[in-house]
Structure formats: structure tokens, C-alpha cells
Amino acid sequence: MSSHQPAPLPIANPTSSYWMHQPHPVLENFCSSEELPSHVETVIIGSGISGALIAHDLISRCPNVADKRVVMLEARSVASGATGRNGGHIKPDCYKNFASFQERHGSETAKTLCRYELENMKASAQFIIDEGLDKAVDLVKTNAVDLFLDEKAWEDAKAALKLQLEAGGDLSDITVHDKAQSEEKYRFNDVLGAVSYPACSLWPYKLAVGLIEKAMSNGLQLFTNTPALAVSLAANGKWQIETSKGHFVGKIVPVKGNVVAIEPSLDFASRPLDHTCSLQWGSDFDYMIQRPTDGNPLIFGGCDLAHPRKLTGPIGDADDSTTTPEIVDALLQFPVKYMRGWGNEASARISWSGIMGFTADELPFVGELPGRTGQFVAAGYTGHGMARVFLAIKALMQLAHNEAIDPRVPRVYFDIERRLKQKDDEWETMLEEAYSGQKESRSVPLERL
């Protein structure tokens, strides 16, 4: 299998995620009409949070309902992709990758990339409140805590903070905790240290469908179970929607993630975590929140190191109809071993998988497609979409309408043409190994994927 083989259309029978166990009563498999309209002004492909934000922006800009003519196409049920399958938090990467960003892009861009995710988180939370969706999506404004369980990872984190400070970065929202503070305050064992900073948790599926529902009341037409199979230029100079093949083959690669909703132990049911978590292992990291309602289950994802082929195992896997047993087992074993007072066992309420779009430089592609005037993209969030998407879509819509772009959004996101031409030998080698399955493992940090 070539590293340039395009990702397939979404699997028809995906696993059922925790977030989608309360499907929207109307929109889940909704079509606005029996037949698709033959001509519209705007087609949005995908009903996840990116598509929902685009629809919201477009509808908000046009006061005349009759003039909107906006259609949203979704290959499966509404918001059933990554938005309906993620970890349920907005967790900014505000320091950890500063060193690699600095090496690749220079100090100023590195500072922008780290600060951007904090700004995006704050703007996202305010938008949700302003739209009156905070209660519907169980928005919790809290702190994220990176807990370090690997010596090198802890040293690298402190070095990244030092580099960021020396470069003039703003660390005012970031707090460093030593081992004793970390274990006592956050109730985890074998922790070497921790870093905390503002974050949010929420019900991402309900955010997407809430925005789509609002847009539909103002003219959006939604067609679920309607995959886009081609995008081609018609004789009249307009775009004809037919296929999903195109520019990003081999540049945005599917990566499968596994997540489990774990029933809390008695102690963690009576005293739920008041923060979100990231467990840092050096070559990988896991992520966790505890729900504020619905019996307080832990939503816990990651543990890719437990895959039989380690970190290369999930790369190129676009099948979210199954979970990976070894990873699910590792997710269930973690709280018993590392969470203070948990108890002797952990049981899953539900486990599921989802597909992320990864890029070689860890950054999304946002903007107009090279050589395709009128086609815009926001994709390749590399498993970090909720921390990047809100202001990125805002900037995308500003670009599409020839407006000044929000200066907080990193300009490298928009540098699509250069990045598509750029060859990344390590990325290419990793893809070949992952797709061929010839090597059992490769110790490559997930941050470098």
C-alpha cells in the first residue's frame, strides 16, 4: 500500500461513541429534501465542528434567507466523524512543542503557535456562551494538567518552557508543579511533575449539532448519508461536486484513535476530577477528562504504545468500525495502577474509535486551495482540532470574504502551496513502514507525526 494512497470514504458501520449515545432526535440522518438541489452558492463538505462553524458564519452574514443557498453534505450521520468521537476537551498546546516549533519555524512563529491555542480556547468558550449553548454542551471552564511519567519528557517540558521564556513568550497562564505537589493535588501516582494551564471540557457532538440546527432554522440545507465523491470544474466555470480525491493525498493521513468511557470508582464518583489531564510518556501521550454529569464517567483516550506495532500501528488505519483490543485493555488498566484511591478494577461503559487527519508538520491546512479559486479547506488538525478550530474557521471565512484576517491565527496555517511541495523524509519513511506493516515498532514521538 503506497503512502500516497488516498484515504477511503468513511466506514459505513462505525463504532458508537459515548458522545453520540444521545443522538439529535431530528438531524441524525436528516435530509432537507428527497433530491439534492442542482445549483447552490456554497457547499460545505462535512458536518463536524469545522463545517458547523462555517455554516454558522455564512448564515450569520446573510440577513436574507432566500439568498443563502448553502448545502452541507455528510457522508454518514450528522457529526459522526472526529467531532463525535474525540476526547471532549479544548486543551491548548501552549508550551510543550515550543522547541520543535522554534526549530522548524523560528522563535516568533513558535510563540504565535503556542499562544494561539490559548487564545482559541478562550474565544471558543466565549462563543459557546454567547450562542447560549454552554448548558446544552456541558461547558466546563477549568485547567488542563500535563502529568509527566517519563524522566526525559519532564526534562524536555522544562527545557521547552525555558526556551519559550528566553524567547519572550508569555507564560503567565502556565504553572509548573513539582513531584509532591503533582501527586497530592492531582491524585496520581508515579508522577515526576506537572504543568497546568486553562482549558475546557464539553460535549463536542452537541456543539456541532446545536450550531447546525441554528443554521438550518435560517436556511442551511443538510444532507446526511450523502458522501461527496468528486469536485470538478464544470463547463460553465462552476464547481461540480463529485469526489473527495485531490490535493492532500499523502499529506493528510488517517490515524486511528481509541477512547473509552470508564465508570468511576466510588472515590472518583464522590470526588470527580476538577481538571482535565494529559499523561506524558515521552514518545506518546494520553488524554482524559471526567464528565460533570451523566454519572461522571472518565473519557480516556490514547495508549497507542500498547498497539502491537507501537506508534506506527494506528497510522493509515481509517477503519472506525472496530477498536484495538490491546489499547482498550491498556486504557482500562491505567486508572487502577496510577489513580490514587481508584480501586482494583475499571469497567468500560462504552469504547469506540475515531479517525484523525495527521500532517507531517503537525499543523492544519487552512485557506484557499492552490489553483482552485473558490475552493477552501480546513483540515489536518492532527488530533488537536478543538484546540485550533474556532479561530481558524473565523480566519478562513475572513479570507473567503476578502476581510482582514485575525492576527492571532498563525500565518503558517495558510501557507498551503509551500507546505504541499515540501518533502518530509521522516514522514514518508514512517508512512511506508506503517502502511506496509513490515516493522514491529519505531520509536518516533507522536508530536513529530
Side-chain angles (χ1 to χ4, degrees):
M1 187 175 186
S2 167
S3 64
H4 290 280
Q5 180 169 333
L9 287 170
I11 296 296
N13 57 332
T15 53
S16 178
S17 80
Y18 170 83
W19 307 114
M20 293 186 290
H21 80 274
Q22 294 182 15
H24 191 281
V26 176
L27 300 187
E28 184 181 16
N29 292 296
F30 185 83
C31 286
S32 293
S33 60
E34 290 187 10
E35 299 292 333
L36 281 166
S38 59
H39 297 84
V40 295
E41 288 187 1
T42 305
V43 177
I44 302 168
I45 300 175
S47 65
I49 190 63
S50 291
L53 286 168
I54 290 169
H56 178 274
D57 185 280
L58 285 171
I59 298 299
S60 299
R61 287 173 179 271
C62 185
N64 188 340
V65 174
D67 290 342
K68 292 183 172 70
R69 300 174 63 203
V70 180
V71 162
M72 175 180 284
L73 305 179
E74 169 56 53
R76 299 190 301 203
S77 62
V78 68
S80 62
T83 294
R85 299 172 178 279
N86 65 31
H89 54 187
I90 306 176
K91 179 188 175 298
D93 176 6
C94 51
Y95 75 96
K96 193 163 65 71
N97 281 320
F98 182 84
S100 61
F101 288 156
Q102 184 182 53
E103 181 180 3
R104 186 184 288 264
H105 304 290
S107 294
E108 291 306 309
T109 296
K111 287 189 292 184
T112 299
L113 287 166
C114 288
R115 189 68 201 176
Y116 166 72
E117 297 200 10
L118 270 170
E119 294 295 326
N120 179 77
M121 182 275 300
K122 294 174 182 178
S124 300
Q126 190 59 52
F127 169 78
I128 292 168
I129 293 168
D130 291 345
E131 290 297 315
L133 292 170
D134 48 318
K135 289 184 173 58
V137 306
D138 291 339
L139 177 68
V140 177
K141 297 171 73 172
T142 182
N143 283 325
V145 182
D146 291 343
L147 297 161
F148 290 86
L149 298 104
D150 174 88
E151 185 68 43
K152 184 177 186 304
W154 178 226
E155 294 304 318
D156 287 347
K158 291 185 287 186
L161 286 164
K162 183 173 184 292
L163 284 173
Q164 193 169 349
L165 187 63
E166 290 172 347
D170 181 2
L171 304 184
S172 59
D173 287 313
I174 299 172
T175 304
V176 179
H177 310 270
D178 64 21
K179 177 179 176 62
Q181 292 171 332
S182 303
E183 292 190 335
E184 181 64 28
K185 182 177 179 64
Y186 299 117
R187 299 156 63 192
F188 283 77
N189 296 319
D190 299 332
V191 175
L192 300 172
V195 180
S196 62
Y197 43 89
C200 296
S201 68
L202 74 165
W203 196 305
Y205 170 86
K206 289 186 178 181
L207 176 57
V209 296
L211 291 173
I212 292 169
E213 186 174 34
K214 284 191 171 192
M216 288 177 66
S217 70
N218 286 283
L220 174 70
Q221 298 180 69
L222 171 66
F223 293 87
T224 62
N225 302 298
T226 308
L229 300 178
V231 180
S232 58
L233 191 62
N236 61 3
K238 302 295 184 181
W239 292 109
Q240 182 171 313
I241 310 301
E242 297 174 8
T243 189
S244 59
K245 294 181 180 178
H247 285 63
F248 298 99
V249 174
K251 295 296 184 179
I252 299 177
V253 174
V255 175
K256 182 174 180 174
N258 290 261
V259 192
V260 178
I262 302 175
E263 297 291 2
S265 67
L266 289 176
D267 188 51
F268 280 83
S270 61
R271 294 192 302 143
L273 296 175
D274 62 357
H275 55 87
T276 72
C277 294
S278 177
L279 296 317
Q280 303 289 329
W281 303 99
S283 59
D284 195 14
F285 65 91
D286 311 325
Y287 44 92
M288 175 190 297
I289 68 169
Q290 187 163 10
R291 293 274 298 118
T293 61
D294 193 31
N296 308 120
L298 294 181
I299 308 298
F300 187 29
C303 282
D304 291 330
L305 286 169
H307 194 286
R309 290 193 292 114
K310 306 301 181 187
L311 293 183
T312 60
I315 300 173
D317 188 345
D319 183 358
D320 58 4
S321 68
T322 64
T323 56
T324 306
E326 296 87 352
I327 291 178
V328 171
D329 287 346
L331 290 168
L332 290 173
Q333 291 166 14
F334 178 88
V336 174
K337 183 175 181 180
Y338 289 99
M339 297 178 71
R340 289 189 172 186
W342 180 272
N344 297 322
E345 62 179 20
S347 61
R349 181 185 300 188
I350 186 172
S351 58
W352 69 94
S353 61
I355 310 304
M356 302 166 281
F358 273 49
T359 67
D361 62 5
E362 310 168 58
L363 305 177
F365 292 103
V366 178
E368 191 168 33
L369 291 179
R372 295 199 168 196
T373 303
Q375 280 194 47
F376 295 86
V377 65
Y381 289 107
T382 311
H384 209 44
M386 296 302 293
R388 294 168 164 175
V389 65
F390 176 70
L391 289 179
I393 295 300
K394 178 182 176 183
L396 177 70
M397 301 310 293
Q398 290 166 336
L399 176 69
H401 288 88
N402 296 311
E403 299 170 353
I405 297 175
D406 190 323
R408 294 172 292 181
V409 182
R411 289 301 180 266
V412 68
Y413 282 14
F414 298 91
D415 194 6
I416 296 176
E417 187 167 14
R418 179 190 63 81
R419 292 166 61 207
L420 288 177
K421 293 177 180 177
Q422 184 173 337
K423 185 174 176 59
D424 191 307
D425 293 334
E426 183 180 12
W427 177 246
E428 293 292 328
T429 300
M430 224 179 333
L431 290 181
E432 291 295 345
E433 290 178 2
Y435 280 127
S436 67
Q438 292 177 353
K439 295 190 75 172
E440 285 299 308
S441 67
R442 175 179 166 86
S443 180
V444 180
L446 188 62
E447 294 84 354
R448 291 289 297 138
L449 293 184

